[in-house]
């Protein structure tokens, strides 16, 4: 499957006929909210884990030097926390463009902090997209993150901002926090740039 998913998402139009849809964000959608929304609420989804297994050719890397960003991996029994946004369906045109590097809209059940649930959408980059990188150790992921940057900025900022946002939500994510530790160590060991 092509890593540009705009056409595929438009063709599928999942939930796009509804006036309003709940969107579950688990990566940059938590902390980089550049889209209009009607309401937001911390939420979680069951059976999925957040992993830095997706390549980024367009935001935090380039096709030659892809960065690493998060996707969701099926993981029975796991709970992935994030932020849900109630958005008007028209917002998906903008979101599809932002998430075009391999992410497809998929239906998901989400649970809000008060225990109520809703069916909505999350963006998932599956193993069959061309930008997918797959598993690696947290140290290897940290090294790749530290040498990657793209039109949206440093890959390390994506990781560090996500770790901060998860902590602010009171969430623990051992995978993300271990990569954060390694990234901070690598950055601290780098010689200071002159000028
Ligand atoms: C998300 O944040 O929900 C999707 C992945 C990303 O844009 O970082």
């Amino acid at each position: 499957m092509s890593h540009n998913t705009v056409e595929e998402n438009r063709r599928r139009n999942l939930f796009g006929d509804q006036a309003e849809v709940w969107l579950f964000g688990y990566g940059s959608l938590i902390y980089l909210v550049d889209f209009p929304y009607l309401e937001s609420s911390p939420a979680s989804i069951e059976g999925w884990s957040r992993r830095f297994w997706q390549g980024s050719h367009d935001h935090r890397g380039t096709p030659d030097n892809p960065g690493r960003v998060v996707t969701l991996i099926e993981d029975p029994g796991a709970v992935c926390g994030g932020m849900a946004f109630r958005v008007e369906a028209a917002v998906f045109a903008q979101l599809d463009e932002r998430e075009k590097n391999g992410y497809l809209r998929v239906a998901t059940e989400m649970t809000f902090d008060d225990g109520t649930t809703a069916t909505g959408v999350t963006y998932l980059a599956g193993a069959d997209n061309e930008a997918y990188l797959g598993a690696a150790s947290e140290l290897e992921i940290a090294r790749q993150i530290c040498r990657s940057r793209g039109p949206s900025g440093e890959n390390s900022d994506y990781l560090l901002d996500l770790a901060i946002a998860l902590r602010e939500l009171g969430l623990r994510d051992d995978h993300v926090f271990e990569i954060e530790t390694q990234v901070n160590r690598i950055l601290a060991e780098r010689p200071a740039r002159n000028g």
Side-chain angles (χ1 to χ4, degrees):
M1 188 189 67
S2 159
H3 60 264
N4 186 331
T5 50
V6 168
E7 277 311 316
E8 176 68 7
N9 274 319
R10 191 176 301 151
R11 200 179 54 72
R12 290 180 166 197
N13 194 32
L14 186 68
F15 292 113
D17 293 332
Q18 281 181 204
E20 296 169 4
V21 184
W22 277 102
L23 165 72
F24 176 76
Y26 57 90
S28 66
L29 288 174
I30 298 178
Y31 64 84
L32 195 60
V33 186
D34 60 356
F35 52 90
Y37 62 94
L38 304 162
E39 183 186 351
S40 70
S41 176
S44 60
I45 58 174
E46 281 178 32
W48 297 91
S49 283
R50 177 179 14 243
R51 290 286 180 270
F52 271 84
W53 289 7
Q54 173 64 7
S56 176
H57 296 182
D58 60 342
H59 283 298
R60 303 293 178 155
T62 62
D64 288 342
N65 288 299
R68 274 192 181 254
V69 290
V70 288
T71 185
L72 293 169
I73 305 299
E74 254 187 298
D75 191 359
V79 174
C80 178
M83 185 64 91
F85 302 90
R86 192 162 56 85
V87 300
E88 291 181 354
V91 174
F92 282 112
Q94 178 185 342
L95 291 168
D96 288 351
E97 189 61 39
R98 167 171 163 169
E99 303 296 323
K100 66 178 182 297
N101 196 196
Y103 293 86
L104 290 174
R105 281 186 238 165
V106 298
T108 189
E109 191 75 7
M110 60 194 90
T111 305
F112 302 107
D113 280 0
D114 65 0
T116 59
T117 60
T119 302
V121 168
T122 194
Y123 281 90
L124 187 150
D128 59 346
N129 83 85
E130 286 176 13
Y132 189 79
L133 293 172
S137 70
E138 275 82 9
L139 178 57
E140 285 172 291
I141 291 173
R143 286 187 178 134
Q144 183 169 357
I145 286 174
C146 287
R147 58 175 184 262
S148 303
R149 60 197 55 81
S152 297
E154 297 289 332
N155 201 173
S156 55
D157 287 341
Y158 175 105
L159 172 274
L160 296 172
D161 288 348
L162 177 58
I164 290 168
L166 294 178
R167 267 193 207 96
E168 282 174 359
L169 284 170
L171 297 171
R172 176 179 161 180
D173 188 316
D174 291 344
H175 171 74
V176 174
F177 293 166
E178 175 58 22
I179 297 169
E180 178 196 34
T181 300
Q182 299 294 343
V183 163
N184 279 328
R185 187 186 51 75
I186 294 167
L187 293 181
E189 285 171 0
R190 267 189 188 165
R193 288 194 194 141
N194 292 325

